[in-house]
Amino acid sequence: MTQTFQAVRGMNDLLPDSIHEWEFLEDTLRSWLSSYGYRQIRTPLLEPTGLFTRSIGEVTDIVEKEMYSFTDSLNGEALTLRPEATASSVRAVLEHNLLYPGPQRLWYIGPMFRHERPQKGRYRQFHQCGVEAMGYAGPDIDAELILMTARLWKLLDLPAVELQLNTIGAPEARLRHRARLIAHFEQHLDVLDEDAKRRLHSNPLRILDSKNPAMQALIEAAPQLAEDLDDASRLHFETLQQLLSHAGISFTLNHRLVRGLDYYNATVFEWVTQDLGAQGTICGGGRYDGLIPQLGGKPAPAAGFAMGLERLLALRQARNGVLPPPHPDVYLASNGEGVTAFALEVAERLRDHGSQVVFHAGGGSFKSQLKRADGSGAAVCIIVGEAESQAREVTCKPLRGQGEQETLSLEALLSRIPALTQVK
Ligand code: ATP
Ligand code: MG
């Protein structure tokens, strides 16, 4: 028996019947991003494993249990399929010295890989579009990042998404807070679950992220970072809030929002929706002023965000239904002795004039070809038989809307395209 293969669990094929949804989203993203002056960067899907462990942090979900890491058996290199693209972007910016002439507004789009339990809105290969503004200290750029996401939700006509906002302060403030958190949780070891116990001394901030219902009361009672906040972060955060209020962006302050990755500081934010069940975060971001020096660069502040495209699409569809698939303008049917050359010529000439043409390849009766033409959704079927071919004419049969079937010369056809394919 021949062996058959299936896609790796949690990794999806995106099939032609739904690809127009992705193309619509990608087109929207591209023009939205350039309207803010951001430029695209494309980095490899594989990076040295150390890039992620160093930047994301050893004691994080991603590094502890979600990375596709392996040793290249050909040369022994430790490699990882990127779980996110901020670290890759910073690596590339430093490697090519992009910050030398000044700050950079960058964006990326593409697949990310995380070994998670597959479920609705959570896959092992998924897609993110993200933005990285490097060399900007904010809070003006923080405000810009949030304003631009708010504009995207409008462009995509998404239902209400809520902005959650927090500041996690400077590293020193986090250290003070960290000590108080450990002291708090240590008094209640019996309530902590295994994950929390393990993180108690390595990454206690992450315990605040826990969704375990049994720990919620304890988490609610935990000391808040606001009390330890440094003055610079406080001022930065207040200014950001003023800028957002002035722009008419409403937000909820969520002191438990810490984001899962080590490199964040000061502003952190998430856009969340109730309409996608448990996987409700469609966008997350914040400042990462420490990451560039941590990866060996000259210190430079930075901020960014990443959006999960599967979740954006699901949300758009939940609100607006699926987009109608695109149709070709013309289906070209031909049959008879020696007609193929002329039929191909007609198709090429139509494309010269901007039409989208599906040429019926493989022959068959006109009846079966017309059936295909109908199914293609084309506006008209152009028919080339022996008589037409000899006279350099075609028969044009409207498939949708009104309009009479007519036979006309190739030149007349070309002069009346695209009007002929407009459905009345
Ligand atoms: P979550 O809390 O849902 O695990 P996260 O904090 O791990 O999210 P980020 O690393 O901030 O997510 O990634 C940004 C966005 O990418 C998320 O808000 C989400 O929309 C999307 N995303 C993250 N992981 C996945 C996944 N496994 N499948 C699909 N989308 C994902
Ligand atoms: Mg996650």
Side-chain angles (χ1 to χ4, degrees), residues 348-364:
E348 286 301 321
R349 297 291 302 278
L350 284 167
R351 294 184 189 110
D352 289 344
H353 282 69
S355 293
Q356 297 181 342
V357 185
V358 173
F359 171 78
H360 182 96

Side-chain angles (χ1 to χ4, degrees), residues 40-82:
Q40 192 181 174
I41 183 167
R42 300 188 189 185
T43 60
L45 303 192
L46 273 181
E47 295 279 357
T49 298
L51 174 66
F52 301 115
T53 49
R54 272 271 294 288
S55 57
I56 295 170
E58 298 273 1
V59 193
T60 56
D61 282 349
I62 292 181
V63 172
E64 276 182 343
K65 52 188 183 198
E66 295 175 359
M67 294 208 302
Y68 283 92
S69 299
F70 60 96
T71 308
D72 184 338
S73 61
L74 298 177
N75 62 7
E77 275 184 86
L79 300 175
T80 292
L81 277 168
R82 65 180 187 193

Side-chain angles (χ1 to χ4, degrees), residues 208-347:
L208 302 179
D209 244 359
S210 166
K211 308 231 157 52
N212 182 347
M215 288 167 37
Q216 294 310 303
L218 182 62
I219 291 173
E220 269 312 314
Q224 294 187 15
L225 192 132
E227 299 150 25
D228 292 301
L229 203 59
D230 51 294
D231 289 342
S233 297
R234 194 187 307 280
L235 183 65
H236 184 112
F237 197 48
E238 277 166 11
T239 312
L240 172 62
Q241 292 178 60
Q242 282 160 13
L243 293 172
L244 293 179
S245 300
H246 184 81
I249 307 266
S250 44
F251 51 86
T252 309
L253 294 179
N254 176 0
H255 63 85
R256 282 179 54 182
L257 179 67
V258 295
R259 310 272 308 130
L261 294 75
D262 274 6
Y263 52 62
Y264 285 108
N265 69 287
T267 313
V268 288
F269 64 91
E270 280 187 358
W271 287 94
V272 280
T273 170
Q274 305 303 321
D275 298 8
L276 290 179
Q279 268 56 256
T281 305
I282 56 169
C283 173
R287 273 213 150 258
Y288 49 93
D289 296 331
L291 183 58
I292 291 174
Q294 194 184 325
L295 291 178
K298 197 167 137 235
F305 61 78
M307 307 177 283
L309 299 190
E310 281 80 0
R311 293 184 196 176
L312 275 191
L313 278 178
L315 192 56
R316 207 204 56 73
Q317 281 176 7
R319 159 96 166 189
N320 301 305
V322 289
L323 290 173
H327 299 301
D329 301 315
V330 174
Y331 195 94
L332 202 144
S334 63
N335 181 295
E337 270 299 302
V339 303
T340 306
F342 180 60
L344 283 170
E345 181 189 342
V346 172

Side-chain angles (χ1 to χ4, degrees), residues 67-146:
M67 294 208 302
Y68 283 92
S69 299
F70 60 96
T71 308
D72 184 338
S73 61
L74 298 177
N75 62 7
E77 275 184 86
L79 300 175
T80 292
L81 277 168
R82 65 180 187 193
E84 54 107 56
T86 299
S88 311
S89 304
V90 170
R91 191 227 7 97
V93 161
L94 296 181
E95 188 166 334
H96 302 284
N97 216 3
L98 295 192
L99 290 179
Y100 181 71
Q104 291 282 343
R105 285 178 160 98
L106 304 171
W107 68 276
Y108 59 79
I109 189 168
M112 307 294 159
F113 304 86
R114 296 186 194 178
H115 198 281
E116 304 198 69
R117 192 170 67 78
Q119 54 197 290
K120 187 168 167 279
R122 197 175 288 289
Y123 312 100
R124 290 182 172 174
Q125 175 175 329
F126 61 101
H127 298 79
Q128 282 185 343
C129 174
V131 158
E132 312 293 354
M134 298 190 204
Y136 297 96
D140 52 356
I141 206 80
D142 301 17
E144 173 174 288
L145 294 176
I146 289 170

